[in-house]
């Protein structure tokens, strides 16, 4: 699967008020591996920046004055993302701005959802960590992603951080899978078949282990609001070859 982790920076918080995109950052994942391909553009927004946006991005109109307009990079951008699954944190924000920019150029370009699928990592984080802060910085801290170099919001840097967060969030693959040896299905079948007829012992949890298990589930329920595994579940048994 081809995925594009995307972030934008804008002149303000609302495209409905005519705010525009000033920066786009994209990094490519192929089969959940970073490929090294990326797209990064600063854009001339053709309007003033709101004070808050300038403060968090560090971008100024003077810096952006000689940068291309969205119309000048739209074909390159769409070619880069077309057919991929976009990974975006708080997708409604970025998708709203992208669709606004496309609409300014005419209906022939359609909406970004017509070119790509969209996955919202904020929704994924809220499902996994209900009731907790799920900003990009909070997720980096919680999932062990180093963001010490993030002093300002930057589209490419945030896309790179989000790629690591997404992999950790969805599979715990925080190291991007480098050095992981995957066992072939044939090897796995041979190993399973070879041990299928061996005698097995059943190991049951001791009373102390069962009590520790119940206490752990109670802590999970207290922190998350619920626990899908009931504390009084039947005693688990493990087969050991």
């Amino acid at each position: 699967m081809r995925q594009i982790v995307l972030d934008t920076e804008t002149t303000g918080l609302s495209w409905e008020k005519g705010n525009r995109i000033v920066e786009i950052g994209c990094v490519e994942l192929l089969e959940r591996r970073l490929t090294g391909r990326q797209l990064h553009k600063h854009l001339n927004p053709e309007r003033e920046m709101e004070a808050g946006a300038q403060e968090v991005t560090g971008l100024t109109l003077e810096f952006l004055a000689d940068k291309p307009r969205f119309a000048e990079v739209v074909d390159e951008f769409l070619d880069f993302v077309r057919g991929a699954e976009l990974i975006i944190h708080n997708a409604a924000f970025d998708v709203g701005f992208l669709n606004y920019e496309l609409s300014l150029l005419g209906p022939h370009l359609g909406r970004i959802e017509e070119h790509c699928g969209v996955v919202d990592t904020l929704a994924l984080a809220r499902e996994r960590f209900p009731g907790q802060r799920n900003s990009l910085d909070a997720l980096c801290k919680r999932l062990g992603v180093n963001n010490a170099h993030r002093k300002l919001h930057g589209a490419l840097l945030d896309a790179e951080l989000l790629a690591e967060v997404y992999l950790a969030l969805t599979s715990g693959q925080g190291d991007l899978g480098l050095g992981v040896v995957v066992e072939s299905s044939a090897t796995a079948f041979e190993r399973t078949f070879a041990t299928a007829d061996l005698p097995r012992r059943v190991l049951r949890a001791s009373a102390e282990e069962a009590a520790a298990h119940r206490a752990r589930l109670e802590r999970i329920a207290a922190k998350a609001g619920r626990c899908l595994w009931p504390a009084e579940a039947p005693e688990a048994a493990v087969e050991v070859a």
Side-chain angles (χ1 to χ4, degrees), residues 87-100:
I87 308 299
I88 309 175
H89 200 65
N90 191 15
F93 179 88
D94 301 85
V95 168
F97 270 94
L98 289 169
N99 283 335
Y100 177 60

Side-chain angles (χ1 to χ4, degrees), residues 10-21 45-50 93 96-97 100-101 103-104:
T10 62
T11 61
L13 295 177
S14 174
W15 62 264
E16 293 95 336
K17 295 181 180 179
N19 283 298
R20 304 287 300 275
I21 294 176
E46 304 180 86
R47 59 151 288 157
E48 296 289 325
M49 291 188 67
E50 295 180 359
F93 179 88
F97 270 94
Y100 177 60
E101 294 284 357
S103 72
L104 294 177

Side-chain angles (χ1 to χ4, degrees), residues 222-239:
K223 186 172 183 179
R226 62 177 181 143
C227 181
L228 298 180
W229 192 346
E232 300 304 325
E235 185 181 7
V238 179
E239 288 189 355

Side-chain angles (χ1 to χ4, degrees), residues 160-176:
E160 292 170 339
L161 291 173
L162 182 58
E164 295 189 62
V165 164
Y166 168 72
L167 293 175
L169 185 65
T170 54
S171 71
Q173 192 178 357
D175 63 352
L176 307 183

Side-chain angles (χ1 to χ4, degrees), residues 85-165:
E85 182 177 69
L86 295 184
I87 308 299
I88 309 175
H89 200 65
N90 191 15
F93 179 88
D94 301 85
V95 168
F97 270 94
L98 289 169
N99 283 335
Y100 177 60
E101 294 284 357
L102 292 173
S103 72
L104 294 177
L105 302 179
H108 63 289
L109 291 177
R111 299 171 61 81
I112 193 66
E113 299 96 325
E114 297 172 31
H115 301 277
C116 316
V118 178
V119 171
D120 187 355
T121 52
L122 179 57
L124 294 178
R126 285 172 172 168
E127 182 177 345
R128 180 169 172 183
F129 306 113
Q132 300 185 52
R133 293 182 62 249
N134 288 303
S135 66
L136 181 58
D137 281 334
L139 289 173
C140 284
K141 182 177 181 180
R142 189 175 303 138
L143 297 170
V145 175
N146 182 11
N147 68 336
H149 51 306
R150 188 187 190 232
K151 306 304 181 184
L152 295 169
H153 289 213
L156 183 60
L157 172 60
D158 287 0
E160 292 170 339
L161 291 173
L162 182 58
E164 295 189 62
V165 164

